[in-house]
Amino acid sequence: MNWKLKASLQKVLHFTKIGDKLNHIPATLQRNYHKNVMIYQAYECLRKFTKTTITFNVEKEMTALEIGTGYSLVSPVVLYLLGFDKIITVDISKDASIKTFQKQIQYIEKEGFLVKIAARSEFSLTEIKEKVQQIQSFQKLDQLLKFCNIVYIPNYTLTAIEKESNSFDYICSQVVFEHIPPEFLQELFKKMKAWLTQDGFAVHTINFIDHFANPGFFQDKNISEFNFLKYSDKTWDFWAGNDIAYTNRLSYLYYLELCKKNNITLIDFIGENYRTHNPLPKSLIHKDVLNKYEKLSNAEDICKYQRGTLIFKK
């Protein structure tokens, strides 16, 4: 589908109360959708956590923050099974439900996930299996949240997070930051610097490509994964300046600048290209995009990675 047609549909959905849910329906129609979500979320949650050296201390309450719950509660549940005493998960809308969770959690024993969780958990494999049996039996969202000590905050603000906790041993997100405006990102990075404990870690995976080129029913196969970098802010805002389609069009360089600006200790950045790589030449990148960076020695570097994992400490 031509990306402008999809953008037009999303603009219409934006004006409905359930626009985001309607936009999400095509993804759920894919075969093995819930199984794939379970495997993807559990894998990514473990992958990010294993990039840290966090150890659990029985004398201290360990708290985790997930930014961007989405439609799946798999990640906060995995964080609970790893040993966090309290998990706060936040999003801009209330999309998680017990019905969706039940369809996903039934696959948690696939891919040897329980053994992999036990390898880094404060719980034994036997304890984890017992907890999973209880988790799979819950019929109400409140039961799940209470058992795992998960605080779910939809329509969140930074103040709402701080009402629950202003100290975190672990902060994570999965392909969420690209949907956050630069102004809010700047505030969020300041807060994360303040929130992290001395031994805490933040691990965030960020997608840097044009989401209209993402695989799926509405994918536009005729555009580059960096197509959106060709347009002015005004033009792009016309097509994708709504809460369904919005992406900030920022590359990994911007997040490295945020770390430096806030005196955050960068542990690592792991860049990757997971599909055919078609970077734009400098001549096609709009000046509005280039102006988002304080220092840019090589404009082509904006298209260097399609996705990356940012790891930092206080």
Side-chain angles (χ1 to χ4, degrees):
M1 174 183 286
N2 182 279
W3 72 268
K4 290 185 178 180
L5 178 57
K6 180 181 179 181
S8 299
L9 291 172
Q10 289 180 326
K11 286 177 71 172
V12 173
L13 292 176
H14 163 70
F15 291 103
T16 68
K17 292 184 179 180
I18 57 171
D20 184 61
K21 289 181 171 61
L22 292 173
N23 184 65
H24 185 66
I25 287 175
T28 66
L29 299 178
Q30 296 177 14
R31 185 180 180 184
N32 295 323
Y33 167 76
H34 292 293
K35 177 182 178 181
N36 292 337
V37 168
M38 173 67 237
I39 293 173
Y40 172 74
Q41 292 289 346
Y43 171 80
E44 284 296 333
C45 185
L46 280 170
R47 181 184 72 85
K48 290 199 292 292
F49 184 74
T50 54
K51 297 297 180 183
T52 77
T53 55
I54 291 175
T55 56
F56 293 100
N57 185 344
V58 294
E59 297 179 357
K60 176 182 179 297
E61 183 180 85
M62 301 287 284
T63 306
L65 169 65
E66 180 197 34
I67 301 170
T69 317
Y71 287 84
S72 176
L73 286 163
V74 170
S75 291
V77 167
V78 170
L79 291 174
Y80 163 73
L81 294 174
L82 282 168
F84 284 99
D85 300 291
K86 182 177 182 179
I87 303 99
I88 299 171
T89 181
V90 304
D91 210 337
I92 60 172
S93 58
K94 189 175 183 179
D95 295 321
S97 71
I98 193 63
K99 289 184 178 180
T100 298
F101 178 76
Q102 288 172 330
K103 293 175 182 177
Q104 294 169 358
I105 198 64
Q106 63 180 307
Y107 299 107
I108 195 170
E109 296 185 57
K110 300 289 184 181
E111 310 289 327
F113 281 128
L114 299 188
V115 173
K116 294 174 183 177
I117 292 170
R120 284 297 306 271
S121 176
E122 70 164 338
F123 302 119
S124 68
L125 180 57
T126 299
E127 289 175 310
I128 289 173
K129 288 182 176 179
E130 290 173 352
K131 290 178 182 296
V132 167
Q133 284 185 336
Q134 288 180 284
I135 288 169
Q136 289 175 327
S137 71
F138 295 137
Q139 301 298 309
K140 294 182 179 180
L141 186 61
D142 287 346
Q143 291 176 308
L144 171 67
L145 299 179
K146 183 178 180 180
F147 180 82
C148 298
N149 203 11
I150 295 171
V151 178
Y152 177 37
I153 309 177
N155 309 115
Y156 81 100
T157 63
L158 298 178
T159 301
I161 292 173
E162 291 185 326
K163 285 182 178 179
E164 291 294 335
S165 180
N166 60 3
S167 178
F168 295 98
D169 301 282
Y170 185 58
I171 305 174
C172 63
S173 68
Q174 180 65 27
V175 292
V176 170
F177 279 7
E178 67 265 26
H179 299 291
I180 299 178
E183 299 78 17
F184 190 79
L185 277 175
Q186 292 174 24
E187 290 300 313
L188 181 59
F189 269 66
K190 288 179 183 177
K191 288 294 186 180
M192 287 192 290
K193 164 76 173 180
W195 289 341
L196 280 172
T197 61
Q198 202 60 44
D199 297 321
F201 280 83
V203 188
H204 303 283
T205 298
I206 313 161
N207 196 312
F208 307 119
I209 74 169
D210 186 338
H211 283 31
F212 290 117
N214 276 344
F217 181 78
F218 293 111
Q219 178 188 15
D220 189 340
K221 297 181 180 180
N222 296 314
I223 60 173
S224 160
E225 73 271 34
F226 297 108
N227 178 68
F228 61 174
L229 300 183
K230 298 190 296 185
Y231 302 95
S232 68
D233 286 343
K234 183 178 180 179
T235 298
W236 195 252
D237 184 64
F238 171 80
W239 287 108
N242 59 76
D243 58 3
I244 294 177
Y246 177 80
T247 55
N248 55 37
R249 303 196 293 162
L250 300 170
S251 79
Y252 77 104
L253 297 171
Y254 188 87
Y255 298 94
L256 298 185
E257 284 185 357
L258 279 178
C259 288
K260 186 175 182 180
K261 185 183 298 184
N262 289 284
N263 197 27
I264 289 170
T265 303
L266 180 67
I267 302 300
D268 199 3
F269 172 78
I270 306 167
E272 59 178 316
N273 293 308
Y274 57 95
R275 51 182 284 181
T276 303
H277 190 209
N278 297 302
L280 291 180
K282 178 182 177 180
S283 60
L284 291 181
I285 302 175
H286 197 277
K287 65 178 181 180
D288 284 356
V289 173
L290 300 177
N291 289 338
K292 296 179 188 299
Y293 302 87
E294 291 186 0
K295 293 182 180 179
L296 194 60
S297 56
N298 186 1
E300 281 81 0
D301 281 348
I302 292 175
C303 303
K304 187 174 183 179
Y305 298 117
Q306 297 165 340
R307 181 170 60 199
T309 300
L310 182 71
I311 308 168
F312 60 81
K313 297 192 70 173
K314 197 173 183 70

